[in-house]
Amino acid sequence: MENVIKLMIVDDHDMVRLGLKTYLSMESDFLVTGEAANGKDALERLKGAGQDGLPDMILMDLMMPLMDGVETTREVSRLYPQVKVILLTSFLEDEKVLQAIEAGAITYVLKTVSSDELAHVIRSSYRGLQVMNSEVSQALTRGLRQRSTQSGQDDGAGLTGREMEVMLLIADGKSNKDIADELHISIKTVKTHVSNLLMKCEVEDRTQLAIYAHRKGWSGKPAG
């Protein structure tokens, strides 16, 4: 039997919370343990829950009064790093996507996703997998590139030529399979390069690698 995933819903619209709770409660491996109407309310409820009563994951609305989803996610990540946050929004803004991921959200989901897609994102994220649909991934890449215009170029010291190629393709939103096909190497070899990049850049996942690359001002496409 699958582990029960404890969820908290944070949204300033009562009907949205009700709809999410109704759907999520129909899944045998989901348990909604808390709700909040804004970020401040959410943090108060987390504080009152104690460590044993914390949710595994929070479904967080982006736009809320008093404290928005990005600011709240940043505080949750600081105070309760074991709690994973999925940001939900009706808007796909490049800078907001970037801010959400930088704040600590594990992914960013549009409210237009189907119930099955949302369930898949929750379960995959709970297991530590990176799940981001193409629209959101592209928005993240655009946001990173906009940021990169404010940075100088870096020569990539410390990375091999092949690692740099892999890094740039990751920054372009490519999957391991895409990278393997483009560079004509095996997926296993790509995974080895990704592991080396995570260690050398001192980051934890592919999303942070992409952010790292664009902060350095590197191009989103390999040279040559």
Side-chain angles (χ1 to χ4, degrees):
M1 182 176 179
E2 291 185 80
N3 291 331
V4 173
I5 303 172
K6 296 182 292 184
L7 301 167
M8 182 178 191
I9 302 169
V10 183
D11 197 295
D12 60 317
H13 292 97
D14 293 346
M15 291 303 295
V16 172
R17 293 201 310 275
L18 177 60
L20 284 171
K21 183 176 181 179
T22 299
Y23 162 67
L24 295 171
S25 297
M26 294 172 64
E27 299 292 318
S28 61
D29 57 329
F30 293 162
L31 177 64
V32 178
T33 60
E35 298 178 48
N38 57 66
K40 286 189 175 181
D41 186 20
L43 291 173
E44 285 297 318
R45 291 174 185 272
L46 290 173
K47 183 178 179 181
Q51 290 297 318
D52 293 338
L54 291 175
D56 297 308
M57 307 189 74
I58 299 176
L59 302 182
M60 182 91 69
D61 187 23
L62 178 64
M63 306 301 293
M64 297 182 293
L66 301 181
M67 183 181 285
D68 68 15
V70 170
E71 185 179 357
T72 308
T73 297
R74 189 175 294 113
E75 284 301 292
V76 170
S77 298
R78 182 178 68 86
L79 297 170
Y80 311 101
Q82 70 272 44
V83 178
K84 298 176 180 179
V85 177
I86 295 174
L87 267 173
L88 294 172
T89 181
S90 301
F91 308 98
L92 188 61
E93 298 179 19
D94 300 350
E95 181 63 21
K96 287 294 185 183
V97 174
L98 180 53
Q99 288 176 4
I101 299 302
E102 287 181 326
I106 192 167
T107 192
Y108 186 107
V109 178
L110 292 171
K111 289 183 178 179
T112 53
V113 298
S114 69
S115 55
D116 287 344
E117 288 174 315
L118 179 58
H120 170 68
V121 170
I122 293 171
R123 292 184 180 113
S124 297
S125 298
Y126 176 73
R127 294 196 300 269
L129 302 176
Q130 293 294 318
V131 183
M132 188 175 291
N133 73 22
S134 59
E135 284 183 279
V136 174
S137 179
Q138 289 167 15
L140 175 61
T141 299
R142 289 193 301 268
L144 288 166
R145 284 177 174 167
Q146 289 167 7
R147 290 272 189 93
S148 73
T149 60
Q150 301 172 2
S151 305
Q153 294 292 316
D154 192 289
D155 62 2
L159 302 185
T160 67
R162 181 64 89 189
E163 286 171 349
M164 178 62 79
E165 288 182 309
V166 173
M167 170 74 94
L168 297 177
L169 289 168
I170 288 173
D172 234 16
K174 303 291 186 181
S175 68
N176 283 352
K177 185 179 184 306
D178 293 334
I179 295 172
D181 290 344
E182 185 153 340
L183 299 181
H184 305 292
I185 57 179
S186 70
I187 292 179
K188 182 178 179 180
T189 300
V190 174
K191 290 180 178 178
T192 298
H193 287 311
V194 172
S195 296
N196 291 338
L197 286 167
L198 292 172
M199 180 179 65
K200 288 184 176 183
C201 299
E202 299 182 344
V203 298
E204 297 180 356
D205 55 46
R206 296 170 69 92
T207 299
Q208 291 180 13
L209 273 178
I211 292 172
Y212 181 97
H214 286 280
R215 279 178 172 170
K216 291 292 186 180
W218 294 331
S219 165
K221 293 184 181 297

